[in-house]
PDB file of all heavy atoms in Angstrom:
ATOM      1  N   LEU L 190      90.261 -17.419 -39.238  1.00 97.00           N
ATOM      2  CA  LEU L 190      89.397 -17.292 -40.411  1.00 97.00           C
ATOM      3  C   LEU L 190      90.210 -16.814 -41.616  1.00 97.00           C
ATOM      4  O   LEU L 190      90.091 -17.355 -42.729  1.00 97.00           O
ATOM      5  CB  LEU L 190      88.264 -16.312 -40.113  1.00 97.00           C
ATOM      6  CG  LEU L 190      87.032 -16.345 -41.015  1.00 97.00           C
ATOM      7  CD1 LEU L 190      86.337 -17.693 -40.926  1.00 97.00           C
ATOM      8  CD2 LEU L 190      86.068 -15.228 -40.620  1.00 97.00           C
ATOM      9  N   VAL L 191      91.049 -15.813 -41.392  1.00 95.00           N
ATOM     10  CA  VAL L 191      91.904 -15.305 -42.464  1.00 95.00           C
ATOM     11  C   VAL L 191      92.933 -16.359 -42.864  1.00 95.00           C
ATOM     12  O   VAL L 191      93.177 -16.592 -44.054  1.00 95.00           O
ATOM     13  CB  VAL L 191      92.607 -14.008 -42.020  1.00 95.00           C
ATOM     14  CG1 VAL L 191      93.635 -13.562 -43.057  1.00 95.00           C
ATOM     15  CG2 VAL L 191      91.581 -12.901 -41.784  1.00 95.00           C
ATOM     16  N   LEU L 192      93.530 -17.009 -41.871  1.00 94.00           N
ATOM     17  CA  LEU L 192      94.565 -18.010 -42.153  1.00 94.00           C
ATOM     18  C   LEU L 192      94.003 -19.169 -42.959  1.00 94.00           C
ATOM     19  O   LEU L 192      94.629 -19.631 -43.929  1.00 94.00           O
ATOM     20  CB  LEU L 192      95.150 -18.519 -40.832  1.00 94.00           C
ATOM     21  CG  LEU L 192      96.361 -19.446 -40.939  1.00 94.00           C
ATOM     22  CD1 LEU L 192      97.538 -18.718 -41.586  1.00 94.00           C
ATOM     23  CD2 LEU L 192      96.756 -19.971 -39.558  1.00 94.00           C
ATOM     24  N   PHE L 193      92.823 -19.664 -42.591  1.00 96.00           N
ATOM     25  CA  PHE L 193      92.202 -20.747 -43.344  1.00 96.00           C
ATOM     26  C   PHE L 193      91.896 -20.295 -44.773  1.00 96.00           C
ATOM     27  O   PHE L 193      92.011 -21.083 -45.718  1.00 96.00           O
ATOM     28  CB  PHE L 193      90.915 -21.220 -42.653  1.00 96.00           C
ATOM     29  CG  PHE L 193      91.141 -22.254 -41.575  1.00 96.00           C
ATOM     30  CD1 PHE L 193      92.200 -22.134 -40.688  1.00 96.00           C
ATOM     31  CD2 PHE L 193      90.286 -23.333 -41.431  1.00 96.00           C
ATOM     32  CE1 PHE L 193      92.412 -23.069 -39.687  1.00 96.00           C
ATOM     33  CE2 PHE L 193      90.484 -24.287 -40.437  1.00 96.00           C
ATOM     34  CZ  PHE L 193      91.551 -24.154 -39.563  1.00 96.00           C
ATOM     35  N   GLY L 194      91.486 -19.036 -44.929  1.00 94.00           N
ATOM     36  CA  GLY L 194      91.229 -18.516 -46.270  1.00 94.00           C
ATOM     37  C   GLY L 194      92.487 -18.487 -47.120  1.00 94.00           C
ATOM     38  O   GLY L 194      92.476 -18.863 -48.299  1.00 94.00           O
ATOM     39  N   VAL L 195      93.592 -18.071 -46.521  1.00 91.00           N
ATOM     40  CA  VAL L 195      94.877 -18.061 -47.224  1.00 91.00           C
ATOM     41  C   VAL L 195      95.278 -19.476 -47.606  1.00 91.00           C
ATOM     42  O   VAL L 195      95.688 -19.748 -48.743  1.00 91.00           O
ATOM     43  CB  VAL L 195      95.967 -17.404 -46.345  1.00 91.00           C
ATOM     44  CG1 VAL L 195      97.348 -17.606 -46.962  1.00 91.00           C
ATOM     45  CG2 VAL L 195      95.679 -15.915 -46.165  1.00 91.00           C
ATOM     46  N   TYR L 196      95.150 -20.396 -46.664  1.00 91.00           N
ATOM     47  CA  TYR L 196      95.511 -21.782 -46.937  1.00 91.00           C
ATOM     48  C   TYR L 196      94.663 -22.389 -48.058  1.00 91.00           C
ATOM     49  O   TYR L 196      95.165 -23.116 -48.911  1.00 91.00           O
ATOM     50  CB  TYR L 196      95.341 -22.631 -45.672  1.00 91.00           C
ATOM     51  CG  TYR L 196      96.416 -22.458 -44.633  1.00 91.00           C
ATOM     52  CD1 TYR L 196      96.181 -22.810 -43.309  1.00 91.00           C
ATOM     53  CD2 TYR L 196      97.672 -21.964 -44.964  1.00 91.00           C
ATOM     54  CE1 TYR L 196      97.174 -22.675 -42.337  1.00 91.00           C
ATOM     55  CE2 TYR L 196      98.664 -21.817 -44.003  1.00 91.00           C
ATOM     56  CZ  TYR L 196      98.413 -22.173 -42.695  1.00 91.00           C
ATOM     57  OH  TYR L 196      99.388 -22.045 -41.740  1.00 91.00           O
ATOM     58  N   GLN L 197      93.379 -22.082 -48.054  1.00 92.00           N
ATOM     59  CA  GLN L 197      92.474 -22.692 -49.018  1.00 92.00           C
ATOM     60  C   GLN L 197      92.639 -22.107 -50.424  1.00 92.00           C
ATOM     61  O   GLN L 197      92.624 -22.851 -51.407  1.00 92.00           O
ATOM     62  CB  GLN L 197      91.017 -22.519 -48.562  1.00 92.00           C
ATOM     63  CG  GLN L 197      89.964 -23.045 -49.535  1.00 92.00           C
ATOM     64  CD  GLN L 197      89.803 -24.551 -49.509  1.00 92.00           C
ATOM     65  OE1 GLN L 197      90.604 -25.256 -48.911  1.00 92.00           O
ATOM     66  NE2 GLN L 197      88.766 -25.050 -50.145  1.00 92.00           N
ATOM     67  N   TYR L 198      92.800 -20.796 -50.509  1.00 91.00           N
ATOM     68  CA  TYR L 198      92.716 -20.151 -51.815  1.00 91.00           C
ATOM     69  C   TYR L 198      94.037 -19.590 -52.339  1.00 91.00           C
ATOM     70  O   TYR L 198      94.177 -19.387 -53.551  1.00 91.00           O
ATOM     71  CB  TYR L 198      91.680 -19.023 -51.762  1.00 91.00           C
ATOM     72  CG  TYR L 198      90.297 -19.515 -51.436  1.00 91.00           C
ATOM     73  CD1 TYR L 198      89.726 -19.265 -50.194  1.00 91.00           C
ATOM     74  CD2 TYR L 198      89.561 -20.265 -52.358  1.00 91.00           C
ATOM     75  CE1 TYR L 198      88.443 -19.732 -49.885  1.00 91.00           C
ATOM     76  CE2 TYR L 198      88.288 -20.732 -52.058  1.00 91.00           C
ATOM     77  CZ  TYR L 198      87.741 -20.460 -50.819  1.00 91.00           C
ATOM     78  OH  TYR L 198      86.484 -20.924 -50.506  1.00 91.00           O
ATOM     79  N   TRP L 199      94.995 -19.307 -51.445  1.00 86.00           N
ATOM     80  CA  TRP L 199      96.204 -18.631 -51.916  1.00 86.00           C
ATOM     81  C   TRP L 199      97.489 -19.319 -51.502  1.00 86.00           C
ATOM     82  O   TRP L 199      98.567 -18.750 -51.641  1.00 86.00           O
ATOM     83  CB  TRP L 199      96.229 -17.182 -51.399  1.00 86.00           C
ATOM     84  CG  TRP L 199      95.076 -16.374 -51.901  1.00 86.00           C
ATOM     85  CD1 TRP L 199      94.832 -15.979 -53.184  1.00 86.00           C
ATOM     86  CD2 TRP L 199      93.992 -15.869 -51.116  1.00 86.00           C
ATOM     87  NE1 TRP L 199      93.667 -15.264 -53.249  1.00 86.00           N
ATOM     88  CE2 TRP L 199      93.120 -15.178 -51.988  1.00 86.00           C
ATOM     89  CE3 TRP L 199      93.660 -15.931 -49.761  1.00 86.00           C
ATOM     90  CZ2 TRP L 199      91.951 -14.572 -51.555  1.00 86.00           C
ATOM     91  CZ3 TRP L 199      92.501 -15.325 -49.328  1.00 86.00           C
ATOM     92  CH2 TRP L 199      91.663 -14.649 -50.213  1.00 86.00           C
ATOM     93  N   ALA L 200      97.400 -20.534 -50.986  1.00 80.00           N
ATOM     94  CA  ALA L 200      98.610 -21.224 -50.516  1.00 80.00           C
ATOM     95  C   ALA L 200      99.610 -21.427 -51.649  1.00 80.00           C
ATOM     96  O   ALA L 200     100.819 -21.217 -51.474  1.00 80.00           O
ATOM     97  CB  ALA L 200      98.245 -22.566 -49.891  1.00 80.00           C
ATOM     98  N   GLY L 201      99.120 -21.813 -52.826  1.00 74.00           N
ATOM     99  CA  GLY L 201     100.006 -22.035 -53.971  1.00 74.00           C
ATOM    100  C   GLY L 201     100.728 -20.782 -54.410  1.00 74.00           C
ATOM    101  O   GLY L 201     101.966 -20.731 -54.436  1.00 74.00           O
ATOM    102  N   PRO L 202      99.984 -19.720 -54.778  1.00 76.00           N
ATOM    103  CA  PRO L 202     100.647 -18.469 -55.176  1.00 76.00           C
ATOM    104  C   PRO L 202     101.531 -17.885 -54.082  1.00 76.00           C
ATOM    105  O   PRO L 202     102.591 -17.327 -54.357  1.00 76.00           O
ATOM    106  CB  PRO L 202      99.466 -17.540 -55.481  1.00 76.00           C
ATOM    107  CG  PRO L 202      98.333 -18.450 -55.809  1.00 76.00           C
ATOM    108  CD  PRO L 202      98.529 -19.660 -54.947  1.00 76.00           C
ATOM    109  N   LEU L 203     101.088 -18.024 -52.823  1.00 72.00           N
ATOM    110  CA  LEU L 203     101.854 -17.477 -51.711  1.00 72.00           C
ATOM    111  C   LEU L 203     103.199 -18.173 -51.577  1.00 72.00           C
ATOM    112  O   LEU L 203     104.231 -17.532 -51.349  1.00 72.00           O
ATOM    113  CB  LEU L 203     101.063 -17.641 -50.413  1.00 72.00           C
ATOM    114  CG  LEU L 203     101.633 -16.997 -49.154  1.00 72.00           C
ATOM    115  CD1 LEU L 203     101.638 -15.484 -49.287  1.00 72.00           C
ATOM    116  CD2 LEU L 203     100.838 -17.416 -47.925  1.00 72.00           C
ATOM    117  N   ALA L 204     103.191 -19.488 -51.731  1.00 69.00           N
ATOM    118  CA  ALA L 204     104.415 -20.263 -51.568  1.00 69.00           C
ATOM    119  C   ALA L 204     105.469 -19.904 -52.610  1.00 69.00           C
ATOM    120  O   ALA L 204     106.668 -20.080 -52.383  1.00 69.00           O
ATOM    121  CB  ALA L 204     104.105 -21.755 -51.629  1.00 69.00           C
ATOM    122  N   ALA L 205     105.023 -19.361 -53.753  1.00 73.00           N
ATOM    123  CA  ALA L 205     105.942 -19.080 -54.847  1.00 73.00           C
ATOM    124  C   ALA L 205     106.951 -17.989 -54.490  1.00 73.00           C
ATOM    125  O   ALA L 205     108.071 -17.980 -55.015  1.00 73.00           O
ATOM    126  CB  ALA L 205     105.157 -18.681 -56.102  1.00 73.00           C
ATOM    127  N   TRP L 206     106.577 -17.056 -53.620  1.00 75.00           N
ATOM    128  CA  TRP L 206     107.504 -15.968 -53.304  1.00 75.00           C
ATOM    129  C   TRP L 206     107.962 -15.950 -51.841  1.00 75.00           C
ATOM    130  O   TRP L 206     108.679 -15.044 -51.418  1.00 75.00           O
ATOM    131  CB  TRP L 206     106.888 -14.611 -53.658  1.00 75.00           C
ATOM    132  CG  TRP L 206     105.591 -14.283 -52.977  1.00 75.00           C
ATOM    133  CD1 TRP L 206     104.351 -14.553 -53.437  1.00 75.00           C
ATOM    134  CD2 TRP L 206     105.420 -13.607 -51.723  1.00 75.00           C
ATOM    135  NE1 TRP L 206     103.399 -14.102 -52.547  1.00 75.00           N
ATOM    136  CE2 TRP L 206     104.027 -13.504 -51.492  1.00 75.00           C
ATOM    137  CE3 TRP L 206     106.298 -13.079 -50.774  1.00 75.00           C
ATOM    138  CZ2 TRP L 206     103.502 -12.922 -50.349  1.00 75.00           C
ATOM    139  CZ3 TRP L 206     105.765 -12.488 -49.631  1.00 75.00           C
ATOM    140  CH2 TRP L 206     104.387 -12.411 -49.433  1.00 75.00           C
ATOM    141  N   LEU L 207     107.569 -16.974 -51.087  1.00 75.00           N
ATOM    142  CA  LEU L 207     108.013 -17.065 -49.699  1.00 75.00           C
ATOM    143  C   LEU L 207     109.427 -17.628 -49.606  1.00 75.00           C
ATOM    144  O   LEU L 207     109.850 -18.386 -50.482  1.00 75.00           O
ATOM    145  CB  LEU L 207     107.070 -17.967 -48.902  1.00 75.00           C
ATOM    146  CG  LEU L 207     105.700 -17.408 -48.531  1.00 75.00           C
ATOM    147  CD1 LEU L 207     104.858 -18.486 -47.849  1.00 75.00           C
ATOM    148  CD2 LEU L 207     105.819 -16.183 -47.613  1.00 75.00           C
ATOM    149  N   PRO L 208     110.170 -17.275 -48.551  1.00 74.00           N
ATOM    150  CA  PRO L 208     111.473 -17.926 -48.319  1.00 74.00           C
ATOM    151  C   PRO L 208     111.300 -19.428 -48.148  1.00 74.00           C
ATOM    152  O   PRO L 208     110.206 -19.903 -47.817  1.00 74.00           O
ATOM    153  CB  PRO L 208     111.954 -17.280 -47.004  1.00 74.00           C
ATOM    154  CG  PRO L 208     111.163 -16.025 -46.867  1.00 74.00           C
ATOM    155  CD  PRO L 208     109.849 -16.270 -47.544  1.00 74.00           C
ATOM    156  N   GLY L 209     112.376 -20.179 -48.323  1.00 70.00           N
ATOM    157  CA  GLY L 209     112.286 -21.630 -48.312  1.00 70.00           C
ATOM    158  C   GLY L 209     111.644 -22.200 -47.073  1.00 70.00           C
ATOM    159  O   GLY L 209     110.769 -23.071 -47.163  1.00 70.00           O
ATOM    160  N   TRP L 210     112.037 -21.715 -45.880  1.00 70.00           N
ATOM    161  CA  TRP L 210     111.518 -22.314 -44.655  1.00 70.00           C
ATOM    162  C   TRP L 210     110.040 -22.003 -44.479  1.00 70.00           C
ATOM    163  O   TRP L 210     109.270 -22.841 -44.004  1.00 70.00           O
ATOM    164  CB  TRP L 210     112.319 -21.848 -43.441  1.00 70.00           C
ATOM    165  CG  TRP L 210     112.158 -20.395 -43.096  1.00 70.00           C
ATOM    166  CD1 TRP L 210     112.861 -19.346 -43.623  1.00 70.00           C
ATOM    167  CD2 TRP L 210     111.238 -19.839 -42.166  1.00 70.00           C
ATOM    168  NE1 TRP L 210     112.435 -18.167 -43.076  1.00 70.00           N
ATOM    169  CE2 TRP L 210     111.439 -18.432 -42.166  1.00 70.00           C
ATOM    170  CE3 TRP L 210     110.267 -20.385 -41.322  1.00 70.00           C
ATOM    171  CZ2 TRP L 210     110.695 -17.577 -41.368  1.00 70.00           C
ATOM    172  CZ3 TRP L 210     109.530 -19.527 -40.517  1.00 70.00           C
ATOM    173  CH2 TRP L 210     109.745 -18.145 -40.548  1.00 70.00           C
ATOM    174  N   LEU L 211     109.615 -20.788 -44.887  1.00 73.00           N
ATOM    175  CA  LEU L 211     108.195 -20.459 -44.783  1.00 73.00           C
ATOM    176  C   LEU L 211     107.376 -21.237 -45.809  1.00 73.00           C
ATOM    177  O   LEU L 211     106.236 -21.613 -45.543  1.00 73.00           O
ATOM    178  CB  LEU L 211     107.988 -18.957 -44.998  1.00 73.00           C
ATOM    179  CG  LEU L 211     108.078 -18.074 -43.752  1.00 73.00           C
ATOM    180  CD1 LEU L 211     107.880 -16.614 -44.118  1.00 73.00           C
ATOM    181  CD2 LEU L 211     107.047 -18.506 -42.715  1.00 73.00           C
ATOM    182  N   ARG L 212     107.953 -21.480 -46.984  1.00 76.00           N
ATOM    183  CA  ARG L 212     107.273 -22.286 -47.991  1.00 76.00           C
ATOM    184  C   ARG L 212     107.044 -23.701 -47.470  1.00 76.00           C
ATOM    185  O   ARG L 212     105.999 -24.303 -47.689  1.00 76.00           O
ATOM    186  CB  ARG L 212     108.120 -22.329 -49.270  1.00 76.00           C
ATOM    187  CG  ARG L 212     107.402 -22.924 -50.478  1.00 76.00           C
ATOM    188  CD  ARG L 212     108.307 -22.929 -51.699  1.00 76.00           C
ATOM    189  NE  ARG L 212     108.887 -21.623 -51.919  1.00 76.00           N
ATOM    190  CZ  ARG L 212     110.188 -21.404 -52.096  1.00 76.00           C
ATOM    191  NH1 ARG L 212     111.033 -22.420 -52.074  1.00 76.00           N
ATOM    192  NH2 ARG L 212     110.641 -20.182 -52.299  1.00 76.00           N
TER     193      ARG L 212
END
Side-chain angles (χ1 to χ4, degrees):
L190 198 62
V191 173
L192 187 63
F193 274 42
V195 170
Y196 284 159
Q197 176 77 349
Y198 299 108
W199 298 293
L203 186 66
W206 58 269
L207 286 175
W210 68 274
L211 271 179
R212 191 180 309 129

